[in-house]
Amino acid sequence: QTATRINGIFYYPDSGSVKDAYIKSQCRLDIYYPKNIKDFATIVWFHGGGITGGAKEIPRELMDKGVAVIGVGYRLSPKVKAPAYIEDAAAAVAWAFKHIEQYGGNKKLIFVSGHSAGGYLGTMLTLDKQYLNKYGIDANSIAGLIPFSGQAITHFTIRQEQGLKELQATIDEYAPLAHIRADAPPMLIITGDREMELLGRYEENAYLNRMMKLAGNKTTRLYELQGFDHGAMALPAFPLLLKEVSQLKKAIITKAAKN
């Protein structure tokens, strides 16, 4: 037994005063962390499911890899509308910043990832700084963002909430593309094969990658996993996520030692 798992932690700071039963049931996280490693890196993982389904999860592929994993539950549409679930995602990341050191982790090594809708939520809370600002956290202190097939335009569920059709593209305040900036944390965007992906997902992310570069960001990259569709791309993406975490961790620790 080299890791400990604690399930169902309520991540909003004011648990005692929350009356909303749906927030109380959904806004919980599971934490899985290594027992014999100090100053470990943490991956905050947001599940997919189109913001309408899915449940918090600790992916098996991230277990026993010397990192902590926080699996986040969040409220779903149509019970709530945007930006409720983005706010939930940000509150969970804020919880990680405030609490990870109690478990032996390093708050300079908090990484954000997730698949599909989860990749979207992580990208939104990282690029649009207002969500973490609410907790006095600078989104730029996230060590790295590694979304798996996330949306770069406004998420199709939010467009549906707005009365738009699935193929009607929008870039509004709920689109990661509306928040491109030179100073964002390192971002490794991973998608499946452009011909097998969901609704132009590769091209959305290719555009996000290009716009980040044009904005002067030097740390955004894009990988396309050929031969893998939207669902299947997660499996080959996990080793890339772990490699990215390992490399960024090394760079952050080296830099801290120099200062």
Side-chain angles (χ1 to χ4, degrees):
Q1 186 66 27
T2 55
T4 304
R5 181 169 179 161
I6 302 168
N7 292 336
I9 299 170
F10 185 73
Y11 56 71
Y12 271 103
D14 44 0
S15 55
S17 60
V18 172
K19 300 282 180 274
D20 184 314
Y22 189 49
I23 292 179
K24 273 191 162 152
S25 65
Q26 282 295 99
C27 297
R28 295 185 179 270
L29 57 82
D30 299 344
I31 178 169
Y32 169 97
Y33 60 99
K35 280 217 288 230
N36 45 6
I37 298 172
K38 203 160 163 32
D39 271 349
F40 51 74
T42 300
I43 298 168
V44 182
W45 176 262
F46 296 103
H47 68 82
I51 317 184
T52 56
K56 62 182 164 64
E57 61 185 9
I58 308 265
R60 192 176 298 127
E61 295 80 6
L62 299 178
M63 290 179 164
D64 298 321
K65 297 290 191 284
V67 297
V69 186
I70 293 176
V72 181
Y74 49 88
R75 286 173 291 171
L76 301 170
S77 183
K79 274 199 175 175
V80 295
K81 287 189 162 56
Y85 24 79
I86 307 170
E87 290 166 352
D88 290 351
V93 170
W95 183 93
F97 274 98
K98 298 253 183 354
H99 296 282
I100 201 61
E101 290 180 346
Q102 297 163 20
Y103 298 89
N106 184 339
K107 68 175 183 208
K108 290 193 174 75
L109 300 174
I110 290 173
F111 296 83
V112 173
S113 187
H115 181 236
S116 195
Y120 164 79
L121 292 172
T123 306
M124 278 301 301
L125 71 88
T126 304
L127 292 184
D128 186 350
K129 297 182 82 171
Q130 65 160 328
Y131 294 105
L132 280 170
N133 277 346
K134 206 191 269 185
Y135 299 96
I137 293 165
D138 182 349
N140 287 0
S141 53
I142 290 168
L145 170 67
I146 306 96
F148 293 10
S149 290
Q151 283 79 356
I153 63 172
T154 302
H155 192 284
F156 60 77
T157 293
I158 299 176
R159 282 181 276 141
Q160 199 176 1
E161 290 172 5
Q162 297 168 349
L164 299 175
K165 292 189 167 66
E166 201 167 48
L167 299 182
Q168 201 173 336
T170 310
I171 294 171
D172 61 14
E173 74 267 31
Y174 299 125
L177 271 158
H179 306 284
I180 55 158
R181 49 195 181 82
D183 64 335
M187 174 158 56
L188 175 60
I189 306 166
I190 311 175
T191 78
D193 189 315
R194 68 187 77 185
E195 295 306 331
M196 303 167 80
E197 260 290 3
L198 199 61
L199 301 169
R201 191 61 51 86
Y202 165 80
E203 288 80 3
E204 282 181 48
N205 282 287
Y207 187 40
L208 177 60
N209 182 48
R210 175 64 59 205
M211 295 309 276
M212 288 292 282
K213 283 188 166 73
L214 292 174
N217 184 285
K218 305 243 190 302
T219 55
T220 301
R221 284 149 304 137
L222 170 65
Y223 290 170
E224 176 187 8
L225 300 178
Q226 289 184 310
F228 293 93
D229 68 15
H230 184 68
M233 65 71 64
L235 201 60
F238 283 120
L240 298 172
L241 163 60
L242 288 164
K243 185 181 172 191
E244 181 76 355
V245 166
S246 166
Q247 287 176 339
L248 286 170
K249 176 184 175 177
K250 216 172 281 174
I252 290 163
I253 287 170
T254 305
K255 193 176 161 189
K258 278 185 185 146
N259 291 345

